Amino acid sequence: MNIIQKWAFNRKIKKKKRINRSLAGDIFLFALLAIFGLFSAYPLIMTASNAFKPLDELFVFPPTLFPRNLTMENFRDLSELIGNSWIPFSRYFFNTIFITLTGTVGHVLIASMCAYPLAKYRFPGRNIIFALVVYSLMFAPQVTATPNYMIISWIGLIDTPWAIILPAIASSLGLYLMKQFMEQIPFELVESAKIDGASEYRIFFQIVMPLVKPAWLTLIILLFQRLWTTDGGTYIFSEELKPLSYALRQIAQGSIERQGTVAAVAFIMMIVPVTFFIISQSRIVETFSHSGMK
């Protein structure tokens, strides 16, 4: 088969794969996606809009999508309340940053190191271990709350940031995603590196991890969002160890006059994870599409 015949053959295949859809079908599909997109974005738009509405506009029925009288009064009230707090606001901020960064980095590192032998080595019990990981994904957090609390209490980590960080590091979702992604790396590539004399640590950090970059970027996004909004729950009782979300929610609680402050708090807590997600959303779509191929 010469070059012209190959070109004609490839062109014929492309024509067969082309989706036969009319202009009306394209318009209908675009309109349907736009409706679902607006429906999904409506809560985010309302949260951002309420943060800039005066107090009287927050109780207007039906609620308006955008503020009629744009104001920064809610943020000024929040700033005054934070300034009157007996615990410095920087302390809450430091606690949140420490919990978020430590938990995220630890989870990505541990999940990747556990997924690597499951994906690239054959050893007895490998399938049983992975089956347990998959089964653990089926349990809701409410089901595992009591066992988690008992374990954290037994090892003496109650009322410390590690009570939140350790369960986050041990999440099985990251192990599942990393294993599925690493299985797509050819075995020949790993074997070639071994023949060239590369150690296991060098293969893992310099060959495997760069190839699964979309997977661990997705884990960073998912866990960052989860830890950023944690309030300590039943694990942390000391006021100076509480994270930022707890402090903001405590400030926002009170009479109906603080509903504008509540809207400002909701906007502040939302803006960081949403911005992080928008920047890296293509990585998340790519990771989940690859993890479903196996």
Side-chain angles (χ1 to χ4, degrees):
M1 184 181 291
N2 56 32
I3 297 176
I4 297 177
Q5 287 174 331
K6 287 182 179 178
W7 177 80
F9 180 74
N10 292 332
R11 185 178 177 82
K12 187 177 180 181
I13 291 177
K14 290 181 179 178
K15 283 184 177 179
K16 285 183 178 179
K17 290 183 178 179
R18 183 176 299 171
I19 299 174
N20 186 15
R21 191 168 58 212
S22 64
L23 178 61
D26 290 340
I27 295 175
F28 174 76
L29 182 60
F30 178 79
L32 188 65
L33 292 175
I35 291 173
F36 280 108
L38 291 174
F39 184 76
S40 301
Y42 180 76
L44 299 179
I45 297 173
M46 281 299 295
T47 302
S49 175
N50 287 340
F52 297 95
K53 289 179 181 177
L55 186 60
D56 56 341
E57 275 193 43
L58 289 174
F59 299 98
V60 172
F61 186 82
T64 56
L65 184 59
F66 298 105
R68 297 169 184 166
N69 302 308
L70 195 68
T71 180
M72 298 295 290
E73 184 179 354
N74 298 330
F75 294 95
R76 284 195 291 270
D77 293 341
L78 178 61
S79 177
E80 292 177 2
L81 289 171
I82 289 173
N84 295 329
S85 175
W86 66 279
I87 296 290
F89 189 70
S90 57
R91 180 66 187 182
Y92 295 119
F93 189 72
F94 171 79
N95 293 337
T96 296
I97 292 294
F98 176 74
I99 291 173
T100 303
L101 291 184
T102 307
T104 303
V105 174
H107 176 62
V108 171
L109 189 60
I110 296 299
S112 303
M113 295 180 71
C114 293
Y116 176 63
L118 286 175
K120 292 301 165 192
Y121 286 92
R122 301 289 182 264
F123 55 87
R126 170 179 172 270
N127 293 331
I128 296 176
I129 294 174
F130 185 64
L132 291 175
V133 172
V134 175
Y135 291 147
S136 68
L137 296 174
M138 301 177 185
F139 293 99
Q142 293 81 1
V143 176
T144 58
T146 301
N148 283 342
Y149 183 87
M150 294 175 66
I151 294 172
I152 294 297
S153 178
W154 287 340
I155 58 180
L157 294 180
I158 293 295
D159 204 20
T160 68
W162 296 103
I164 300 175
I165 294 172
L166 282 185
I169 291 177
S171 174
S172 55
L173 176 62
L175 174 56
Y176 171 78
L177 285 178
M178 295 303 294
K179 190 259 184 184
Q180 295 296 91
F181 225 85
M182 287 181 181
E183 279 196 339
Q184 299 174 44
I185 299 174
F187 280 93
E188 294 78 7
L189 184 62
V190 178
E191 292 298 325
S192 300
K194 290 181 180 177
I195 293 173
D196 290 341
S199 64
E200 291 290 350
Y201 290 103
R202 188 175 180 185
I203 294 173
F204 177 74
F205 285 107
Q206 294 188 359
I207 297 177
V208 175
M209 288 302 283
L211 291 176
V212 295
K213 184 179 178 180
W216 53 263
L217 281 177
T218 301
L219 287 184
I220 290 175
I221 294 169
L222 295 177
L223 206 65
F224 180 90
Q225 183 178 13
R226 173 183 161 191
L227 293 177
W228 178 259
T229 56
T230 185
D231 60 357
T234 56
Y235 294 109
I236 298 179
F237 305 105
S238 301
E239 188 71 23
E240 63 272 16
L241 296 178
K242 290 286 187 181
L244 178 64
S245 60
Y246 168 82
L248 292 178
R249 286 169 187 166
Q250 287 295 110
I251 289 173
Q253 288 180 357
S255 62
I256 197 169
E257 296 175 353
R258 287 196 180 179
Q259 293 309 304
T261 310
V262 173
V265 168
F267 177 75
I268 291 174
M269 294 305 298
M270 177 192 73
I271 193 66
V272 175
V274 168
T275 304
F276 203 51
F277 175 80
I278 291 174
I279 294 173
S280 307
Q281 60 177 332
S282 61
R283 298 292 185 180
I284 294 181
V285 175
E286 183 179 353
T287 300
F288 279 102
S289 63
H290 280 76
S291 62
M293 289 173 63
K294 300 301 294 180

